[in-house]
Amino acid sequence: MSLLEERTAQLAEDLAALSARDPDIAAALREIGAPDPRIAEPGFETLLGIILEQQVSVASGKAIRRKLEDALGSVTAETVGAAEDAVLVGCGFSRPKLRYARILAAEVAEGRLDLAGLAALPDEDAMARLTAITGIGRWTAEIYLMFALGRRDIWPAPDLALQVAAQHLKGLPARPDVRAMDDIAREWRPFRSGAALLLWRFYRHVRNRPSTDAV
């Protein structure tokens, strides 16, 4: 079984379990269908890419990553660490993200951050190891665990799109904050990654609604 097939089967199981316990999840799944799994290659390039996508649009983040690949050829801790500031800024790095990239490159190149070793750690320990690095917060670490490591019980509560989707899914009067998001998802353990994937799909559906309840 390929990785895609394995992740697809796991996601189907998780969504079935979520639907059985939450009628709102079940209704959303009937309305919009199941999401696809999101799979990213574990390693430095993926983690750096997630950092670059912090607080920018998906399109902007992908554009920066394309420019970086074009400029460096191979995006590794060594090539990023050796690149001139002007090259990275020319790819679209902000000054804070330039600093974060330098820190991450040094942590990986000098062996202090073992990205391959994260796969053997429990979620909490992997999160703690990643968030100890300047520039990596909860959202970045959780996205990496979900997409690169395939963890099934991750909930990126700070994600704006998830917050908007949760507001509509649960009929809330206002967009929930991080604490409220964690409360909402408590009943979805240990399948919160599946819930997140469904809600991201639901967010796109809500955005495209022609009615006045569109976000």
Side-chain angles (χ1 to χ4, degrees):
M1 180 182 293
S2 70
L3 178 60
L4 176 59
E5 291 171 333
E6 179 183 344
R7 295 269 185 96
T8 300
Q10 289 177 348
L11 180 57
E13 292 175 4
D14 295 351
L15 290 172
L18 289 165
S19 295
R21 68 175 65 170
D22 189 323
D24 294 324
I25 291 282
L29 191 57
R30 287 193 301 269
E31 182 178 3
I32 64 174
D36 294 323
R38 298 192 188 182
I39 301 174
E41 184 71 24
F44 174 82
E45 183 175 3
T46 290
L47 182 54
L48 176 62
I50 296 169
I51 291 174
L52 294 175
E53 291 172 0
Q54 293 171 356
Q55 300 177 332
V56 299
S57 68
V58 172
S60 295
K62 290 185 182 302
I64 297 170
R65 295 178 71 170
R66 284 194 300 269
K67 290 178 182 177
L68 182 63
E69 186 174 351
D70 290 343
L72 301 185
S74 177
V75 180
T76 67
E78 291 74 19
T79 59
V80 170
E84 297 288 340
D85 285 358
V87 172
L88 301 182
V89 171
C91 292
F93 284 51
S94 65
R95 286 295 170 181
K97 289 182 181 178
L98 176 62
R99 175 170 174 259
Y100 302 155
R102 296 288 191 208
I103 292 170
L104 178 62
E107 290 287 324
V108 172
E110 296 169 15
R112 290 186 295 274
L113 176 59
D114 177 14
L115 289 175
L118 294 179
L121 298 179
D123 293 345
E124 295 79 6
D125 293 345
M127 285 286 298
R129 186 67 193 91
L130 286 171
T131 55
I133 308 300
T134 299
I136 299 180
R138 171 179 171 174
W139 181 87
T140 299
E142 288 177 325
I143 295 297
Y144 186 81
L145 262 63
M146 282 184 66
F147 298 168
L149 300 185
R151 301 299 174 90
R152 297 168 76 174
D153 191 35
I154 303 299
W155 179 244
D159 189 276
L160 177 61
L162 281 188
Q163 292 175 358
V164 172
Q167 177 187 353
H168 283 262
L169 182 79
K170 292 299 182 180
L172 303 176
R175 176 166 56 86
D177 61 14
V178 171
R179 179 176 295 182
M181 287 287 284
D182 284 333
D183 288 342
I184 290 169
R186 188 168 289 113
E187 66 179 287
W188 297 338
R189 291 177 179 270
F191 311 113
R192 292 178 298 170
S193 296
L197 289 170
L198 180 66
L199 262 66
W200 274 317
R201 182 176 174 88
F202 189 64
Y203 171 78
R204 294 192 294 273
H205 175 73
V206 169
R207 293 273 296 183
N208 291 328
R209 281 177 178 167
S211 59
T212 56
D213 67 344
V215 178

